[in-house]
Amino acid sequence: MKALTNPYTPNAGAEPQAVVGRDDQLELFDHLLARIERGKTEQSMIITGLRGVGKTVLLGQFRAKADRHNWVVVEMEVNKSDDSDFRQLIATKLRGALFELSPKAKWTDRFKRAGSVLRSFTVKLEESGAWSAGLDVDIAEGVADHGDLSLDLTDLFIAIGEAANEKDRGVVLLFDEIQFLNRVQLEAIIAALHKMVQRKLPVTLVGAGLPQIAELAGDAKSYAERLFKFPSIDNFDAKDAKSALQEPAKDEDAYFTSDALNRAIAVTGGYPYFLQELGYAVWTVAEGPLITADDVELALPAYQAKLDESFFRVRLNRSTELQKAYLRAMAELGPEPQKAADVAEVMGRTSQNIAPTRAELINMGLLYTPDHGFAAFTVPHFDQFLKRAIPTLTIPEPRRRQTKKK
């Protein structure tokens, strides 16, 4: 069939032609905004799930809903950064939110106050020449200038929330890859949101991250579990997986047979991103308009090659040889969460001397800990790829300590 009419979108974060299977999360978001609009409090939300399950797509749906509610949306993809860079980035984003709430020519005293607090928040950055708010207002001395990110961000959120309240509007922060916030940054976000709840100000956050974020948030602040909901999303059930393939095809007057759909689900495991990749590959080989199980089989080499190069390998290539060996040892044991002791045994090491490698992989976002003592891949089907990419498990020799010559 024609490439021009291919209805599948295997791109990172791209909204598929048919959005299915996420009604519960969309309803939670509607409920969150509606409660705050009525002057009531509601828990913020962090969506968790493996790579490729559609977390970023869901954030895009939330953005569209917030726009329809006339909320100001602050979008940010979190990268590992020091606190100064984080301060600069969030200040830039909230500066934009302030102008979206009201153009500067129409600022009331409350908005001027928010501008002054924003300048205070960035005063150290301005002194270093790294960034300037460019707000042409005086600095609010003694507010957001404590040098403590948690205290300063709380002051800034209060000022922005009071300005939004004056306009009967809300501000929602949509943070992707939220697990990459360091502990200080995460503590600051949680503390600031806690103050929003206490003062019933219309500022909230919806994040998306890997499964470990719930544990990280709890470690950062003990009350995080009461401040957030942590809905988890996973692969589609059979019905939604079929709809994700069939509905876009129907829009182009093409149809999957039942056998083709069943084979596609078996291959992809119902993971949303994999369905898009397979659908795209099938479209390029099928003559149509009827797509058969034979078409799916014919598309499998291209589908697997694309995933290997663009989805799996980019993650493996960031790993050291020892980290790769740890991942390959996990794959040897299977796709399920694995005990650290079992992985160490496969590698011929002890849990103690291999623990730093495991911690590094967790910090890199390649593994997470679903239960104490266990680790699992954050990427579905990663075990299958590792066996293709590294057919034989090879363990690097441990480095020997060099003794100083006398």
Side-chain angles (χ1 to χ4, degrees):
M1 290 183 281
K2 294 181 180 179
L4 186 64
T5 62
N6 196 323
Y8 301 99
T9 55
N11 300 304
E15 183 176 311
Q17 196 159 311
V19 178
V20 300
R22 303 302 184 220
D23 290 345
D24 289 348
Q25 292 75 31
L26 293 169
E27 288 177 10
L28 280 175
F29 186 74
D30 283 337
H31 180 72
L32 170 62
L33 297 192
R35 290 270 301 175
I36 295 175
E37 286 171 353
R38 293 174 66 89
K40 299 183 181 298
T41 62
E42 184 57 45
Q43 290 169 299
S44 294
M45 183 165 59
I46 297 179
I47 305 292
T48 69
L50 302 183
R51 299 287 184 195
V53 295
K55 300 186 298 297
T56 303
V57 170
L58 196 51
L59 286 182
Q61 293 287 302
F62 294 158
R63 181 194 63 242
K65 281 180 169 288
D67 286 340
R68 290 194 291 271
H69 281 259
N70 199 33
W71 279 59
V72 174
V73 178
V74 175
E75 293 181 283
M76 193 167 96
E77 181 176 336
V78 177
N79 294 300
K80 290 184 179 180
S81 61
D82 62 31
D83 296 344
S84 178
D85 288 341
F86 175 76
R87 186 182 286 258
Q88 177 177 329
L89 179 57
I90 201 164
T92 301
K93 296 289 186 178
L94 291 177
R95 177 182 182 274
L98 198 57
F99 284 128
E100 188 173 343
L101 285 166
S102 175
K104 192 168 184 295
K106 297 183 179 180
W107 275 11
T108 63
D109 289 344
R110 195 173 295 280
F111 273 82
K112 291 175 182 176
R113 165 72 173 174
S116 295
V117 173
L118 182 59
R119 276 211 61 195
S120 296
F121 184 78
T122 59
V123 66
K124 293 297 182 184
L125 298 171
E126 292 181 20
E127 288 174 0
S128 68
W131 187 81
S132 175
L135 294 171
D136 192 28
V137 292
D138 293 332
I139 291 172
E141 294 183 3
V143 182
D145 61 359
H146 311 287
D148 179 288
L149 184 60
S150 184
L151 295 175
D152 292 349
L153 192 62
T154 297
D155 286 347
L156 181 56
F157 272 30
I158 290 171
I160 296 291
E162 288 175 343
N165 211 25
E166 184 176 85
K167 292 291 183 178
D168 292 322
R169 298 181 70 184
V171 177
V172 56
L173 297 93
L174 300 180
F175 281 13
D176 203 1
E177 302 287 4
I178 196 169
Q179 76 278 351
F180 288 134
L181 292 172
N182 66 35
R183 186 180 180 112
V184 170
Q185 295 159 4
L186 188 55
E187 284 179 349
I189 289 288
I190 294 171
L193 289 171
H194 191 211
K195 190 62 67 174
M196 296 303 94
V197 171
Q198 290 175 329
R199 299 203 179 189
K200 295 185 178 180
L201 291 173
V203 178
T204 191
L205 177 141
V206 176
L210 295 174
Q212 65 260 39
I213 185 58
E215 182 180 355
L216 293 174
D219 290 343
K221 289 289 186 183
S222 60
Y223 54 76
E225 63 184 19
R226 287 167 284 149
L227 190 64
F228 291 99
K229 292 176 181 175
F230 294 95
S232 175
I233 60 175
D234 202 347
N235 56 331
F236 290 144
D237 61 23
K239 179 182 177 182
D240 288 331
K242 290 177 181 179
S243 295
L245 284 173
Q246 191 75 282
E247 290 182 21
K250 284 182 178 180
D251 290 343
E252 301 297 338
D253 297 319
Y255 300 87
F256 282 80
T257 66
S258 294
D259 287 345
L261 289 173
N262 290 335
R263 180 60 180 142
I265 294 169
V267 168
T268 62
Y271 284 98
Y273 179 72
F274 294 172
L275 288 166
Q276 294 299 312
E277 282 286 11
L278 183 58
Y280 190 93
V282 168
W283 196 267
T284 63
V285 301
E287 294 183 5
L290 193 65
I291 299 170
T292 67
D294 289 340
D295 293 324
V296 174
E297 293 296 333
L298 189 61
L300 289 184
Y303 159 77
Q304 190 174 89
K306 177 70 182 302
L307 281 179
D308 283 0
E309 293 306 315
S310 66
F311 187 72
F312 294 125
R313 192 171 297 281
V314 292
R315 292 173 168 82
L316 184 64
N317 285 348
R318 297 177 338 193
S319 307
T320 66
E321 290 305 310
L322 185 56
Q323 289 167 352
K324 289 175 183 176
Y326 193 99
L327 294 170
R328 181 60 179 81
M330 280 189 62
E332 192 75 11
L333 294 168
E336 303 84 7
Q338 302 297 337
K339 287 183 179 180
D342 292 342
V343 180
E345 184 178 350
V346 171
M347 296 181 70
R349 304 283 180 88
T350 66
S351 296
Q352 185 176 3
N353 63 29
I354 208 67
T357 302
R358 180 177 181 269
E360 291 162 2
L361 290 166
I362 293 170
N363 189 47
M364 292 166 64
L366 290 175
L367 300 179
Y368 74 101
T369 53
D371 291 299
H372 181 70
F374 285 80
F377 296 118
T378 60
V379 181
H381 295 185
F382 201 42
D383 61 307
Q384 299 172 24
F385 163 73
L386 287 165
K387 290 179 180 179
R388 293 193 298 270
I390 310 173
T392 303
L393 174 60
T394 303
I395 310 300
E397 289 293 327
R399 290 182 180 179
R400 295 182 178 179
R401 293 182 179 178
Q402 293 182 347
T403 57
K404 294 182 179 180
K405 294 182 180 180
K406 293 184 179 180

